[in-house]
Amino acid sequence: MTTTQPATALPSSLPSVFVSHGAPTLIIEDSPGRHFLAGLGKRLGRPSAVIAVSAHWTTRVPAISGAARPETIHDFYGFPRALYAMRYAAPGAPALADRVRALTGAAVDPGQGLDHGAWVPLMLMYPEADIPVAQLSVQPGATAADHIALGRALAPLRNEGVLVLGSGGAVHNLGDFRFGQSDVAGWAEEFAGWLDGVLAAGDEASLAGWKTLCPQAKAAHPTDEHFLPLPVAFGAAGDTVQTERLHTGFEHGSIGMQAYAFHGAA
């Protein structure tokens, strides 16, 4: 079952958000995940800029894109030709990249563009492509606690209208990917339920220890990169986090499409 939670009033401070971006075909298919993302921009309102934390840019240490005109990266193979013709021509945010460097110590990469973990959800959320975007990397060699700390360093930016948008997958096991299938494996539902409970409780310790505390963690994430944008978004809410589940459900058998907004004082 896939549902989108009803809209509720958001506080004056912008929340940080985690979305599951699904398969690259999300942007051209008729699916609940696509419809959710297409309405999310209006629900959140217009930010002054976006920091897109993508599972598809992995580095040894944190890095932030400083390109003035970031290119649209088609970092996938074997998909319909229409996907490769798409461009998301949002302006970059070099000044914001410098702020992120000052807050986090991240290296500024002047040549990094927007990979599909960033431009696919943003094209659905803000199709006008007129909001400045800087992309932030994740570090598979670091822990979830490290990524919570990275996000927490970004928390002051929320009060300046900056949207910290983590983009990955709540459940992401491509080995069990079944295109178009609606049946969901028990281990996937178990992990999603565990994650819902941890986030609803604002349980930072369990989120940091996810790999050992949830028995289905390895099945849900054979590699870490699609999980790590989530703790960044969680941390960006600040020291006290209230979680709002925005969307839930599965697509293609093993792709968890859960999305969350994290509210808190910066």
Side-chain angles (χ1 to χ4, degrees):
M1 180 178 180
T2 303
T3 59
T4 298
Q5 304 302 313
T8 56
L10 295 178
S12 57
S13 179
L14 199 64
S16 49
V17 174
F18 171 81
V19 299
S20 298
H21 60 247
T25 50
L26 178 77
I27 200 164
I28 59 172
E29 61 193 13
D30 184 12
S31 72
R34 184 190 191 283
H35 292 303
F36 159 68
L37 285 170
L40 182 58
K42 289 183 179 179
R43 177 173 183 175
L44 293 174
R46 179 186 172 88
S48 61
V50 177
I51 298 173
V53 189
S54 172
H56 291 278
W57 188 20
T58 61
T59 56
R60 187 179 62 83
V61 297
I64 184 79
S65 63
R69 297 182 179 275
E71 66 172 318
T72 303
I73 304 172
H74 300 87
D75 53 333
F76 43 78
Y77 305 94
F79 286 93
R81 185 175 297 178
L83 288 176
Y84 300 95
M86 291 182 173
R87 298 290 184 273
Y88 190 70
L96 178 59
D98 285 339
R99 288 286 317 281
V100 171
R101 176 189 55 76
L103 289 168
T104 68
V108 177
D109 185 333
Q112 175 67 30
L114 302 178
D115 60 46
H116 82 272
W119 68 261
V120 166
L122 285 173
M123 185 175 282
L124 291 167
M125 292 169 63
Y126 300 110
E128 297 85 0
D130 57 355
I131 298 172
V133 181
Q135 184 166 315
L136 182 65
S137 67
V138 295
Q139 296 73 60
T143 66
D146 293 328
H147 286 80
I148 293 171
L150 176 62
R152 193 150 286 149
L154 300 173
L157 298 174
R158 291 174 31 251
N159 287 332
E160 300 173 21
V162 176
L163 174 63
V164 179
L165 178 70
S167 174
V171 178
H172 189 265
N173 185 335
L174 294 183
D176 202 33
F177 184 91
R178 301 185 304 281
F179 188 81
Q181 295 299 305
S182 59
D183 57 315
V184 181
W187 56 261
E189 292 185 321
E190 183 178 338
F191 181 83
W194 179 87
L195 183 61
D196 271 350
V198 165
L199 296 178
D203 186 349
E204 181 175 329
S206 292
L207 181 62
W210 72 285
K211 292 179 76 172
T212 56
L213 294 177
C214 181
Q216 302 300 344
K218 187 63 177 178
H221 289 278
T223 57
D224 292 0
E225 76 286 338
H226 274 75
F227 185 82
L228 294 175
L230 191 155
V232 178
F234 180 92
D239 293 328
T240 303
V241 182
Q242 291 186 320
T243 300
E244 177 188 9
R245 192 177 68 181
L246 302 175
H247 183 73
T248 189
F250 288 83
E251 295 178 10
H252 307 303
S254 65
I255 304 298
M257 296 300 295
Q258 289 76 14
Y260 306 93
F262 301 109
H263 307 280

